[in-house]
Amino acid sequence: MGNTVSIILAAGKGTRMKSQIPKVLHNICGQPMLCHVIRAAEKAGISRNIVVIGHGAETVRKAIDAGVEWVKQEEQLGTGHAVMQAGPLLSGVNGNVLVLCGDTPLITPDTLAGLIESHDRSGASVTVLTAVVDDPKGYGRILRNENGSVEGIVEHKDASSEQLNINEINTGIYCFNGQSLFSGLREISPANAQGEFYLTDVLAIIRKMGNSIGTVRIGDSLEVMGINDRVQLAEAERALRHRVLEELMVEGVTIIDPHNTYIDRDVSIGPDSIIYPGTIIEGRCQIGPNCRIGPYSRLSHVEVGHDSTIHNSVVAESVIGNSVTVGPFAYIRPGTVLRDDVKVGDFVEIKKSVIGQGSKVPHLSYVGDAEIGEQVNVGAGTITCNYDGSRKSKTVIGDKAFIGSNSNLVAPVNIGREAIVGAGSTVTKNVPEGALCVERSKQVVYPGWVARKTKKK
Ligand code: UD1
Ligand code: CA
């Protein structure tokens, strides 16, 4: 597709979204819908992609991390006017121009490649991607003559009652011969129901010049669905999610209930991993083989090795090693690293801490800003007191140390290698290697106290 350039139209406001956010930035499976369109073009082999922006132009430009060229359409005077804005960038360019819309996120690279291929093969001046739909309301209709060749496109608002019965619609995706496109654009006028410069008018002009219009009819009209409101946004999300899950299943991942599993597009999962229901895996996540994730877990931007289990837990921006167990009911917060064979059990919160290989934090603990060595046992109810009201401080625990239950480790504090902290201690001073630290009042026992007390009454 070396001689094809794309122009992606994304300047419209998207009024029906009722949103402060530009329409093309609304997310579908973890990415702005514009990203999906750009990605489809790139995967179809198009290396030069020009995006026309207008409404919220700067916001859009900042939000999209892609190697595209940006063109601003100051006033939204119609799709034809939008394409014209890319004209100066393309002067002297010989070849195809693929026109796409930023609000059709379900379009696939295969469809685009097929459109370009058909265009090149037929020698037409433009090839339109069309679809036959049950409800053509709002779409431009494809006008064919008695021989079946395309004469033009009429917009819904400009159509006669007879034309409104046509159910073959313009998807808004075309492959143009670049020269025909730009010479046609010079001829269009806004003399229509919407007072806009319609890109669709270029087709009739091309026809009048004696050139031909090709069509490719798409089987699955869902793929070219334009997103105009939140209902369609949810519909597109469901369709794309289904695709993502299917790809993962084909790659060897078991997804117990695809209707109840939410995985973003930039997630990779190794074979023989099992994803249990109610699980959300979002952002850039990388999960190795043989893992068990869920039920009811949420992972965002997490890296997980192989053979690890995360159940009923929330994990964000963290790295989890191999053969690690997390949960049920754990909360792993950003900046955490759990090395291989770590066990984090129920009702444990860990923040910005490194837990060394084979260490265990099995129940009811808060570990924040800590560096824990290998094979450490952190007893139930242990708290790292990392915040004194103004500053955060660090707790460092050496290898094979044992922290008794219900201990408070008041940071900054170091617990040496193989040291033991007795249960219930509030540790405020460093504990040297191999030492026992007990910080609690001596136990007092009064024999027979209960009986004496009862007799008095
Ligand atoms: C357009 C087509 C219609 C087709 C439909 C498919 C025209 C005149 N009509 O109609 O035949 O059936 O798409 O979805 O082309 N845009 C700009 N600048 C503008 C106007 C629009 O960048 O000045 C962008 C929008 O952001 C959007 C795309 O162009 O991404 C389509 O515009 P929209 O207003 O949605 O066109 P439709 O009325 O849907
Ligand atoms: Ca539209």
Side-chain angles (χ1 to χ4, degrees), residues 9-12 73 76-79 82 101-103 139-140 153 155 170-172 174 198-200:
L9 307 184
Q73 184 192 22
Q76 281 66 59
L77 303 178
T79 49
C101 293
D103 64 352
Y139 287 103
I153 296 174
E155 287 306 293
N170 168 28
T171 63
Y174 330 71
Y198 289 166
L199 175 61
T200 44

Side-chain angles (χ1 to χ4, degrees), residues 41 98 107 109 133 156 158 193 210 212 229 268 274 322 359 436-437 453:
L98 182 74
I107 190 72
V133 297
H156 183 97
D158 300 285
S212 68
D229 58 34
S268 70
I274 304 175
N322 306 318
S359 290
L436 166 68
C437 158
K453 185 170 166 106

Side-chain angles (χ1 to χ4, degrees), residues 59-76:
T59 318
V60 175
R61 204 194 293 239
K62 278 198 199 113
I64 306 288
D65 177 23
V68 296
E69 292 165 58
W70 303 99
V71 173
K72 191 156 179 205
Q73 184 192 22
E74 296 292 347
E75 258 185 298
Q76 281 66 59

Side-chain angles (χ1 to χ4, degrees), residues 357-373:
Q357 180 168 5
S359 290
K360 296 185 169 69
V361 190
H363 346 259
L364 300 151
S365 292
Y366 171 66
V367 175
D369 303 304
E371 223 174 82
I372 298 184

